[in-house]
Amino acid sequence: MSNILVNAPKAARRGEVVEIKALILHPMETGFRPGPNGRIIPRNIIERFTATWNGTEIFSMEMSPAIAANPFVSFFAQANESGTVILRWTGDEGFAVEERVAIAVE
């Protein structure tokens, strides 16, 4: 399991634009770098990041081997209704991690 850090407001006013930040600890190995034994370390990257708010996609991005280890993502969304923001990372070797954040809209 990966370590994840998410920074999102717990509450917002209806119509307010909020910033959501997420950091995931992941090596993002390119598949080109030699290890200590001289053998190439197999590719292991996060390929896609998505965020949904109550099931509606609000942000997505494709990642590539050029992205640094421990990718940090920051994006903005408009708070229209209370609910759950689901952040999902997927990648090589069946990698899939989700984190949920509840935001109350007043």
Side-chain angles (χ1 to χ4, degrees):
M1 191 69 164
S2 295
N3 289 330
I4 298 169
L5 217 57
V6 175
N7 185 335
K10 293 188 185 317
R13 291 183 307 260
R14 187 171 309 281
E16 181 181 358
V17 174
V18 297
E19 184 175 17
I20 300 170
K21 301 175 187 177
L23 171 76
I24 185 167
L25 299 182
H26 190 279
M28 297 294 282
E29 286 295 344
T30 64
F32 300 114
R33 191 170 69 93
N37 61 2
R39 292 194 179 120
I40 298 297
I41 298 170
R43 178 183 138 132
N44 181 11
I45 68 166
I46 296 172
E47 296 175 334
R48 187 163 170 76
F49 171 79
T50 59
T52 60
W53 193 320
N54 290 340
T56 302
E57 187 172 276
I58 57 172
F59 182 83
S60 71
M61 69 181 285
E62 300 289 329
M63 295 190 193
S64 70
I67 304 263
N70 308 322
F72 172 78
V73 178
S74 176
F75 61 94
F76 295 89
Q78 187 171 13
N80 293 321
E81 63 182 357
S82 296
T84 303
V85 176
I86 300 174
L87 309 170
R88 181 171 173 79
W89 294 262
T90 56
D92 291 340
E93 301 174 14
F95 180 81
V97 175
E98 277 188 7
E99 185 74 16
R100 296 168 182 263
V101 178
I103 299 177
V105 175
E106 305 161 350

